[in-house]
Amino acid sequence: EADIPSEVIAGLAELGVLGMTVGPEHGGRGFSQQNYCRIIEVIGAHCASTAVFVNAHHSIGVRGLELFGTDEQKRRWMKPMTNGDKLAAFALTEPDAGSDAGNVRTQAVPTPDGSGYHLTGEKRYITNGAIADVLTVMARTPDPSEPDGKITAFLVTPDMPGFEIVEARMEKCGIKGTATARLAFHEMFVPKENVLGRVGGGLKVALTVLDFGRTTFGASCTGAAKFCVERAVAHANERKQFGQTLGEFELVKDKIALAAADTYAMESMTYHTAALIDSGAHDYMLETAMLKVFASDNLWRIVNDTLQIHGGAGYFSDEPFERMMRDARINLIGEGANDVLRLFIAMVGLRGLGLQLQGVAKAPWNAASLVRPTPSLPVTNGILQPASARLARNVGKFARACRNTLIRYREAILDAQAVQARLGDAATELFAASCVYSRLSSLMQHPPQDETSFERELQTGLLSMKVAHRRIRGLLAGLRDNDDADLVRTANLWLGGSK
Ligand SMILES: Cc1cc2nc3c(=O)[nH]c(=O)nc-3n(C[C@H](O)[C@H](O)[C@H](O)COP(=O)(O)OP(=O)(O)OC[C@H]3O[C@@H](n4cnc5c(N)ncnc54)[C@H](O)[C@@H]3O)c2cc1C
């Protein structure tokens, strides 16, 4: 029926799911990010629509108010948002501001009496947009330092005159239970008390809540991936062809092993990132971006492989896999398209090294500062020694590859997207391997009683690190041996471009 029934939303509210990280003083559970992720993982394993609904309400809705709201704003909205009386949404995307989020065109013009702003513009693809009672809306306010103004976040309620729901539920490929809206604002008055955060500080609000949203993607993808592994194993053990169970065929084994290994990695990355947030660290935008890209890319393949293992049965709607496939597709687009995030990871990651290289160009006698020794990692158990040594070598190789790439391309790196994407992906694989290594180290120190599950976890983690190693090797080799120029030339002929 393409809906999340109101009794389900009421049930989620009753359980405390709609205000998990909100402090008890506002009626919330006061959960850490790690515990929040545990709940989202369970929801993601059952229903992607519900996970996206909770993400829009909580991770990118309530969180903004929690982190940037004034005492008065919190007093007014936090409790009703936590107990489900009021639902939240986050409205950034517009026809001309998708991946280019800084290009928001919605204008917020201050009223002459200084009491507030008149907002005019359009928003599209807004999850919960037509069912929300409080929307965080990004709009452009005048700023003396920027001719185009700066982006400011506003708390908007649908009863404001000038608020229009253009389309309440856009028809779409998957996560059909969620209501995705198109909205318009016609000189809609918003009082100045409803500015969220600083005037001109809207991008900071947006980027911060998206960090939480991307961590939530990691958790919900982990839940869905675990479900797939469980179902693929059950089917492979039961279904017989050619007189054997499917699980006896090597190509089926390969799919199951890789799914288990990548699921182990995404789970490790999710809880490592959540722990980083809980530690009070201020900057985790690279980790959340790497987690989102890794989890969504791999879940997409895992769902595909699970459907393949189920054969024709997987294609029919009485099994959940065709729905899961449609649902999983949004993860590669929402909250930053994966290709855009790959570039973001590379360019943000390379910034420090770029500045260092500029410094060395001015003072060549400092060149020695660019040489980094291969790091040594703590080893809690001899079994982990080969994996530890490989990971350390890969960190060293990656550092050298970054340095050589910057020396080779200089400013031209800004246009070399395929090169950036390889470095971004290699960084992501290194992050995955590091999170898995850290988890395996802890496993060796505190092994579980059950020997079978211990052996399986150890083997799965070690496989995951080997897979990361091969992927990194391929990505770094691709920096020198690739068809980038031919790809661009061919695409230009199709696109009618001149380059
Ligand atoms: C179901 C759904 C729910 C959503 N919910 C919300 C919500 O609640 N709130 C909200 O604000 N937004 C929401 N969005 C919007 C979502 O965040 C955007 O769709 C996403 O950021 C991509 O923007 P776009 O669709 O305009 O794609 P575009 O920006 O048009 O990009 C299309 C493709 O072009 C490529 N591309 C773009 N830029 C570059 C580049 N610089 N280099 C290389 N390749 C590039 C990428 O492959 C990208 O996938 C939702 C979207 C969907 C589909």
Side-chain angles (χ1 to χ4, degrees), residues 102-110 140-151:
N103 195 39
V104 163
R105 294 289 107 202
T106 295
Q107 298 294 326
V109 179
R140 214 162 258 290
T141 42
D143 190 281
S145 68
E146 302 244 355
D148 220 13
K150 280 190 173 172
I151 296 174

Side-chain angles (χ1 to χ4, degrees), residues 387-444:
S388 152
R390 229 177 11 237
L391 175 56
R393 275 199 307 276
N394 279 331
V395 171
K397 282 183 192 163
F398 177 70
R400 284 191 291 281
C402 288
R403 188 192 56 201
N404 295 344
T405 302
L406 281 187
I407 290 171
R408 181 170 165 207
Y409 284 86
R410 294 174 176 263
E411 282 78 20
I413 187 70
L414 296 173
D415 293 321
Q417 288 201 335
V419 172
Q420 290 177 36
R422 285 187 195 99
L423 290 177
D425 282 345
T428 299
E429 292 293 340
L430 272 180
F431 179 49
S434 308
C435 294
V436 168
Y437 182 69
S438 152
R439 189 166 165 196
L440 289 181
S441 299
S442 159
L443 176 78
M444 298 312 290

Side-chain angles (χ1 to χ4, degrees), residues 52 56 60 89-95 97-100 124-128 172 174-175 178 180 330 332-340 343 417:
V52 171
I60 58 178
F90 171 81
L92 169 64
T93 304
E94 300 181 359
S99 301
D100 188 4
R124 68 176 184 184
Y125 309 160
I126 307 305
T127 305
N128 297 351
K172 57 190 187 293
I175 53 162
T178 61
T180 319
I330 183 57
L332 289 84
I333 299 168
E335 299 198 12
N338 281 10
D339 273 351
V340 175
L343 307 175
Q417 288 201 335

Side-chain angles (χ1 to χ4, degrees), residues 198-440:
R198 269 189 316 104
V199 173
L203 268 187
K204 166 94 180 136
V205 175
L207 293 177
T208 305
V209 297
L210 287 173
D211 272 338
F212 291 100
R214 288 173 190 154
T215 311
T216 308
F217 270 56
S220 61
C221 288
T222 299
K226 281 185 179 176
F227 175 85
C228 284
V229 171
E230 205 177 287
R231 291 294 307 271
V233 166
H235 189 73
N237 276 332
E238 189 197 306
R239 168 88 174 149
K240 282 192 173 163
Q241 286 290 277
F242 303 99
Q244 298 177 23
T245 60
L246 297 182
E248 288 175 76
F249 297 113
E250 187 179 347
L251 291 184
V252 174
K253 285 186 203 292
D254 288 356
K255 287 185 179 60
I256 288 174
L258 192 58
D262 282 332
T263 302
Y264 191 77
M266 71 174 87
E267 183 183 32
S268 309
M269 292 164 89
T270 297
Y271 292 101
H272 187 95
T273 306
L276 189 64
I277 293 173
D278 288 336
S279 74
H282 290 297
D283 183 1
Y284 29 76
M285 62 183 175
L286 278 178
E287 285 83 356
T288 59
M290 292 190 284
L291 166 62
K292 193 268 188 183
V293 171
F294 185 93
S296 55
D297 274 353
N298 283 298
L299 176 63
W300 177 241
R301 196 207 64 247
I302 290 168
V303 175
N304 189 35
D305 282 352
T306 305
L307 195 151
Q308 191 68 28
I309 289 172
H310 281 78
Y315 199 72
F316 290 93
S317 301
D318 55 343
E319 288 288 355
F321 307 111
E322 61 86 18
R323 173 181 57 76
M324 289 186 79
M325 182 150 233
R326 287 183 287 102
D327 288 349
R329 196 62 187 80
I330 183 57
N331 300 321
L332 289 84
I333 299 168
E335 299 198 12
N338 281 10
D339 273 351
V340 175
L341 288 179
R342 289 191 161 83
L343 307 175
F344 169 83
I345 293 161
M347 294 320 283
V348 173
L350 285 173
R351 204 156 48 196
L353 182 61
L355 290 173
Q356 231 182 321
L357 280 169
Q358 272 177 2
V360 168
K362 285 187 200 135
W365 50 89
N366 286 335
S369 68
L370 293 175
V371 181
R372 295 254 171 77
T374 298
S376 71
L377 300 175
V379 182
T380 54
N381 188 294
I383 291 182
L384 299 181
Q385 179 61 46
S388 152
R390 229 177 11 237
L391 175 56
R393 275 199 307 276
N394 279 331
V395 171
K397 282 183 192 163
F398 177 70
R400 284 191 291 281
C402 288
R403 188 192 56 201
N404 295 344
T405 302
L406 281 187
I407 290 171
R408 181 170 165 207
Y409 284 86
R410 294 174 176 263
E411 282 78 20
I413 187 70
L414 296 173
D415 293 321
Q417 288 201 335
V419 172
Q420 290 177 36
R422 285 187 195 99
L423 290 177
D425 282 345
T428 299
E429 292 293 340
L430 272 180
F431 179 49
S434 308
C435 294
V436 168
Y437 182 69
S438 152
R439 189 166 165 196
L440 289 181

Side-chain angles (χ1 to χ4, degrees), residues 53 55-58 60-62 81 86-92 126-137 154-156 163 179 181 183 196:
F53 160 77
N55 184 30
H57 169 79
H58 196 315
I60 58 178
V62 175
M81 278 174 156
K86 288 192 190 301
L87 296 178
F90 171 81
L92 169 64
I126 307 305
T127 305
N128 297 351
I131 58 171
D133 305 279
V134 186
L135 299 94
T136 306
V137 171
F154 293 89
L155 293 166
V156 164
F163 182 99
L183 307 170
L196 182 63

